[in-house]
């Protein structure tokens, strides 16, 4: 049995995206913020559903700019010139409703620095127009994330960081697999199979949480199915949100090497170990030792290890492990 791509969706994975990133002219000035990353790369793998909350709540294009005004923990979204223009509740409600309606999406890409779509670090101003020194989340993004806290969400600007980008798409593909193999036909067996496939992915992100999830799954029918489902995916997604490190990736690859230590020639094992150490030191990217390790696991590994999502968490063509 060869190592397989995990998961293998029959169609593109659906994700939400700020409409301006797709080139839609919906910004306050009538322009857009077309993202070459989203349109030239991601569009081949994802079904991108564009949303502009400001247009969605009835603001025109072009329109008066809006901004966050208030204090660090209590701010509103108002017009930069017309203070009576307050769209705080409309944007928050639109985010809540979007999360409730778009239940099939597996991720969301937001426009950074936006008072509606910014995930974080959006400037907050004093009522007199001066910067307060504080920042917060856009109100649409806030409603979206609070209503669906499991959903992988990231800002387009942060996706130019290779580590953040790899982490985000690891979460998207894992969440999509959960939606299609567990959520749509939940059972104790489905949860157990999902957990088994993500053993080494979890270890790379947080070994302690892997152990905790293992204990949870081991309880089996002692826990009500709905309770087990909710508890498992909540801890699982929080675990994957924690970025894996060179140290943790190195540890996982050494564990995987253990599956073939008795069947691979000594010189081949030494070559794998050499590349793993070069990765640990930052000399080569993760794809280098992992490619050779996968080669030998494909030949000599058991079906269990070949089915580990860690080996192919997403299509290789995305090149996400080439720069980390």
């Amino acid at each position: 049995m060869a190592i397989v791509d995990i998961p293998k969706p029959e169609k593109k994975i659906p994700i939400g995206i700020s409409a301006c990133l797709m080139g839609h002219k919906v910004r306050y000035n009538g322009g857009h913020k077309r993202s070459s990353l989203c349109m030239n790369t991601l569009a081949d793998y994802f079904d991108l559903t564009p949303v502009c909350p400001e247009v969605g709540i009835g603001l025109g294009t072009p329109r008066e700019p809006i901004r966050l005004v208030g204090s660090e923990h209590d701010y509103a979204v108002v017009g930069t010139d017309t203070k009576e223009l307050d769209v705080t509740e409309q944007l928050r409600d639109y985010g809540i409703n979007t999360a409730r309606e778009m239940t099939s999406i597996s991720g969301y890409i937001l426009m950074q620095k936006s008072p509606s779509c910014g995930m974080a670090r959006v400037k907050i101003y004093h009522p007199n127009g001066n910067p307060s020194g504080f920042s917060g989340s856009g109100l649409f993004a806030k409603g979206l994330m609070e209503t669906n806290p499991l959903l992988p969400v990231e800002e387009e600007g942060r996706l130019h960081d290779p580590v953040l980008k790899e982490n985000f798409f690891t979460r998207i593909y894992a969440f999509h697999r959960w939606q299609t193999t567990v959520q749509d036909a939940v059972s104790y067996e489905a949860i157990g199979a999902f957990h088994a496939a993500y053993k080494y992915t979890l270890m790379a992100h947080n070994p302690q949480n892997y152990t905790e999830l293992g204990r949870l799954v081991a309880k089996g029918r002692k826990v009500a199915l709905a309770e087990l489902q909710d508890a498992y995916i909540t801890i699982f997604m929080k675990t994957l949100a924690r970025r894996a490190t060179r140290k943790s990736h190195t540890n996982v690859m050494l564990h995987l090497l253990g599956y073939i230590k008795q069947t691979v020639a000594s010189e081949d094992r030494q070559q794998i170990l050499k590349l793993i150490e070069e990765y640990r030191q930052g000399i080569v990217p993760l794809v280098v030792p992992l490619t050779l390790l996968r080669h030998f696991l494909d030949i000599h590994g058991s079906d269990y290890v070949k089915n580990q999502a860690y080996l192919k968490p997403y299509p290789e063509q995305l090149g996400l492990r080439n720069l980390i």
Side-chain angles (χ1 to χ4, degrees):
M1 178 179 178
I3 294 171
V4 296
D5 287 308
I6 300 175
K8 281 188 172 180
E10 296 179 357
K11 56 183 180 180
K12 295 179 181 180
I13 294 177
I15 62 175
I17 185 171
S18 293
C20 59
L21 295 172
M22 292 186 67
H24 295 202
K25 295 181 179 181
V26 292
R27 285 176 59 79
Y28 73 94
N29 58 2
H32 61 79
K33 283 286 185 177
R34 187 183 188 279
S35 165
S36 59
L37 167 66
C38 295
M39 300 309 299
N40 297 344
T41 302
L42 303 185
D44 291 335
Y45 301 92
F46 301 97
D47 180 10
L48 304 171
T49 300
V51 177
C52 177
E54 294 174 17
V55 171
I57 65 171
L59 298 181
T61 305
R63 57 183 173 270
E64 179 182 344
I66 54 177
R67 60 171 49 162
L68 304 185
V69 175
S71 62
E72 182 179 11
H73 302 294
D74 183 18
Y75 52 84
V77 187
V78 301
T80 55
D81 299 318
T82 308
K83 302 302 185 288
E84 295 76 22
L85 175 62
D86 187 328
V87 291
T88 308
E89 293 304 318
Q90 294 97 311
L91 284 173
R92 185 179 177 85
D93 289 348
Y94 200 79
I96 293 170
N97 291 333
T98 297
R100 289 173 177 170
E101 293 169 4
M102 297 177 68
T103 56
S104 64
I105 61 173
S106 301
Y108 209 107
I109 301 175
L110 293 165
M111 178 62 201
Q112 64 272 14
K113 300 180 181 180
S114 165
S116 59
C117 292
M119 187 174 77
R121 300 177 307 282
V122 181
K123 286 184 180 180
I124 300 174
Y125 292 83
H126 289 302
N128 63 10
N130 293 328
S132 69
F134 296 114
S135 62
S137 300
L139 267 294
F140 167 80
K142 191 176 181 67
L144 175 78
M145 294 186 294
E146 289 180 351
T147 305
N148 190 351
L150 299 178
L151 185 70
V153 177
E154 191 53 272
E155 294 179 335
E156 193 273 347
R158 284 165 49 95
L159 294 180
H160 297 278
D161 179 308
V163 174
L164 295 177
K165 180 180 177 183
E166 195 275 339
N167 176 269
F168 179 55
F169 289 106
T170 294
R171 288 185 284 142
I172 283 183
Y173 274 88
F175 190 50
H176 181 72
R177 188 178 187 185
W178 172 269
Q179 290 171 307
T180 55
T181 66
V182 180
Q183 184 175 290
D184 288 352
V186 66
S187 68
Y188 291 102
E189 293 75 17
I191 295 173
F194 182 90
H195 181 68
Y198 278 91
K199 171 180 179 177
Y200 289 106
T201 301
L202 289 164
M203 284 184 64
H205 290 263
N206 190 321
Q208 291 75 27
N209 282 10
Y210 166 72
T211 302
E212 180 182 357
L213 286 169
R215 293 195 189 104
L216 183 62
V217 171
K219 292 179 180 179
R221 286 175 167 77
K222 295 178 182 178
V223 181
L225 184 56
E227 180 184 344
L228 176 63
Q229 177 186 9
D230 291 344
Y232 185 91
I233 192 58
T234 297
I235 299 172
F236 180 87
M237 294 307 298
K238 286 182 179 178
T239 302
L240 263 60
R242 178 174 175 173
R243 297 189 290 276
T245 64
R246 284 187 180 271
K247 181 179 178 180
S248 63
H249 278 304
T250 296
N251 180 56
V252 165
M253 287 189 287
L254 292 174
H255 272 84
L256 291 170
L257 182 59
Y259 284 91
I260 52 176
K261 64 181 180 181
Q262 302 299 329
T263 52
V264 173
S266 176
E267 58 269 27
D268 290 327
R269 291 200 308 273
Q270 292 304 312
Q271 179 62 19
I272 297 171
L273 284 168
K274 176 178 178 290
L275 292 177
I276 291 175
E277 176 60 18
E278 288 181 353
Y279 164 74
R280 187 189 69 81
Q281 295 180 20
I283 299 171
V284 299
L286 179 59
V287 68
V288 174
L290 198 54
T291 298
L292 186 59
L293 180 59
R294 278 201 321 233
H295 168 73
F296 286 105
L297 285 171
D298 196 12
I299 298 172
H300 301 287
S302 65
D303 286 351
Y304 171 77
V305 73
K306 289 176 185 178
N307 275 319
Q308 285 299 310
Y310 178 83
L311 295 171
K312 284 191 176 181
Y314 34 67
E316 290 184 53
Q317 294 88 338
L318 287 171
L320 298 173
R321 285 174 163 173
N322 295 355
L323 297 174
I324 65 170

